[in-house]
Amino acid sequence: MKGFNVTWKDCVVKKVLDQHLLEEIPKSPQRVYVSMVILREFHSTAVLTTEGQHLDVEMVRAGRTKNQLLSRVVLQKRKQVAPERRTGRAFNRQMGWGETCDYMKPMCGECPDCLLYGFAAISGEGAQRSRVLTDSGFSIRQYEAIQRSITLNAIQDTTQGGIAGSAFAEREHIRPQVFFPTIETAVDVTSSELVYILRNILSTTRYGAESNRQGYVKNHIIGLLFTNTEIMSNLELTQRVFDYLIQEKGEKIHEEPLVQEEVRQAMLHALDEVVADSYLPTQLYAGEELESVLSGLRQLWKSEEGNREWLKNLAEDHQAYLKKRSK
């Protein structure tokens, strides 16, 4: 943390977010939305199945102009949010928050995880709806191009050296360098809360089943959208990206892995189109403006003083809300 002496009050992140977000958590919905546009890049094989041995797949339109049917692998909503919540909950325990909070028991209803991502009814205290809206993501390329089946073999460990026996299972995986453009939208959050959500996204690296052995993901924030509604679905984003890429690459899109920078440019193009078509005022942070925010986050999280002040502000936001909710 040496070399960084950033305060939360003067941090560029807070100055930017305070222009668009609420000063306090409202008791009633205000519909102040911020959409985090994320490019999820898989660096290893991964298992994205709900059950069984086959990948989750949906037959959808390839694009908005290229409307032939395409089978796409689905990254289910809960397979995105669950790892990010676990990241946040581990961080909470480091901070001494929600130490008694347990998914398998009544949740505490007071820690950042409960108040942002929601919890089921606690006896006598009601429930909390999630203020983080998510949806299933879709691969850009078709299922046939990005899947592979891996065979599992039984090992006979009573023989010298271990001898592979017959195959006893086969499971479908996605290949490395598969991209899922996705959007997570936070509703009626404060600046300190959005920083908490971004920290969970940017520091989570494992998704899917068997994530202790595979499923390594790099999450890239491509844009932040501030408005009073959800700007587009994950499926629409993927279809717009596909239309742009097939125009640039032609049929090569079906034949070889995509390049991260190509996908990033396609997503920025899609965001510009959607903002231009929006009926409501929409502020987009991308490019240099976004990099200023992300650079500010790096400095904040590496600053002992800045981190302490941010977490104090986050705790104060939640204490004020809990007091207001109890009345």
Side-chain angles (χ1 to χ4, degrees):
M1 297 186 183
K2 278 189 173 180
F4 292 94
N5 190 24
V6 179
T7 65
W8 171 241
K9 180 180 178 182
D10 297 322
C11 178
V12 63
V13 178
K14 187 177 189 303
K15 290 179 179 178
V16 169
L17 299 184
D18 282 352
Q19 298 175 45
H20 305 285
L21 301 179
L22 299 172
E23 293 183 5
E24 60 183 21
I25 306 167
K27 193 172 181 180
S28 301
Q30 301 294 312
R31 294 183 66 85
V32 176
Y33 287 66
V34 51
S35 292
M36 296 155 282
V37 184
I38 309 159
L39 176 58
R40 303 190 191 276
E41 178 184 8
F42 279 79
H43 282 227
S44 65
T45 58
V47 178
L48 303 180
T49 61
T50 304
E51 57 184 36
Q53 307 301 313
H54 301 287
L55 295 170
D56 291 336
V57 178
E58 287 288 351
M59 187 72 74
V60 294
R61 297 294 175 186
R64 289 168 62 82
T65 57
K66 303 291 183 182
N67 60 8
Q68 71 269 27
L69 289 174
L70 203 68
S71 55
R72 284 193 160 105
V73 176
V74 181
L75 177 57
Q76 300 285 357
K77 169 256 181 187
R78 69 175 182 271
K79 292 187 182 296
Q80 300 172 60
V81 176
E84 292 163 10
R85 289 192 73 166
R86 288 195 293 269
T87 296
R89 289 168 69 82
F91 179 65
N92 292 343
R93 288 190 284 271
Q94 293 175 24
M95 298 298 107
W97 297 334
E99 292 179 335
T100 61
C101 200
D102 191 329
Y103 287 143
M104 305 304 291
K105 301 174 184 177
M107 296 174 69
C108 72
E110 297 181 355
C111 68
D113 178 76
C114 284
L115 294 179
L116 278 165
Y117 295 94
F119 60 89
I122 298 174
S123 178
E125 296 185 24
Q128 174 78 42
R129 291 187 66 181
S130 175
R131 287 182 288 138
V132 181
L133 309 182
T134 56
D135 196 4
S136 296
F138 297 84
S139 62
I140 301 169
R141 301 173 69 216
Q142 74 272 31
Y143 156 80
E144 292 80 5
I146 66 173
Q147 76 88 22
R148 60 172 298 194
S149 292
I150 296 180
T151 301
L152 306 176
N153 294 306
I155 300 296
Q156 174 56 268
D157 62 356
T158 60
T159 57
Q160 185 67 27
I163 299 174
S166 60
F168 69 90
E170 187 176 75
R171 204 171 195 183
E172 290 186 343
H173 295 62
I174 62 167
R175 298 174 182 272
Q177 286 201 303
V178 171
F179 297 90
F180 288 83
T182 59
I183 300 172
E184 290 190 33
T185 300
V187 186
D188 293 340
V189 298
T190 63
S191 298
S192 62
E193 287 185 309
L194 185 63
V195 170
Y196 175 86
I197 296 168
L198 286 167
R199 187 189 185 281
N200 290 348
I201 293 169
L202 290 170
S203 57
T204 301
T205 57
R206 297 278 175 167
Y207 293 78
E210 301 177 10
S211 57
N212 59 329
R213 298 185 293 277
Q214 56 191 335
Y216 185 93
V217 174
K218 183 74 172 177
N219 288 321
H220 308 277
I221 305 294
I222 305 299
L224 295 174
L225 285 159
F226 299 91
T227 184
N228 293 113
T229 187
E230 291 184 88
I231 199 71
M232 79 179 130
S233 68
N234 286 342
L235 179 57
E236 180 183 349
L237 175 58
T238 298
Q239 288 171 331
R240 286 180 181 271
V241 167
F242 180 89
D243 282 341
Y244 179 88
L245 288 173
I246 201 165
Q247 185 177 349
E248 296 293 313
K249 295 172 65 70
E251 292 304 311
K252 285 185 178 179
I253 192 174
H254 300 299
E255 301 166 3
E256 57 189 31
L258 297 171
V259 178
Q260 185 215 117
E261 185 56 30
E262 294 175 339
V263 182
R264 179 187 293 269
Q265 290 303 317
M267 290 178 70
L268 290 172
H269 179 79
L271 290 176
D272 287 339
E273 284 184 339
V274 168
V275 170
D277 292 341
S278 176
Y279 289 100
L280 298 176
T282 303
Q283 179 68 51
L284 169 64
Y285 281 78
E288 292 183 3
E289 285 185 320
L290 176 64
E291 184 50 43
S292 176
V293 174
L294 296 178
S295 177
L297 286 174
R298 294 186 197 101
Q299 293 176 22
L300 174 69
W301 290 330
K302 291 177 181 178
S303 166
E304 187 173 345
E305 181 180 358
N307 237 341
R308 184 171 58 249
E309 291 176 348
W310 158 56
L311 292 170
K312 182 179 181 223
N313 192 188
L314 178 62
E316 288 171 348
D317 286 347
H318 287 166
Q319 288 165 8
Y321 170 70
L322 289 169
K323 185 176 180 181
K324 184 166 43 178
R325 191 180 69 178
S326 66
K327 291 182 179 179

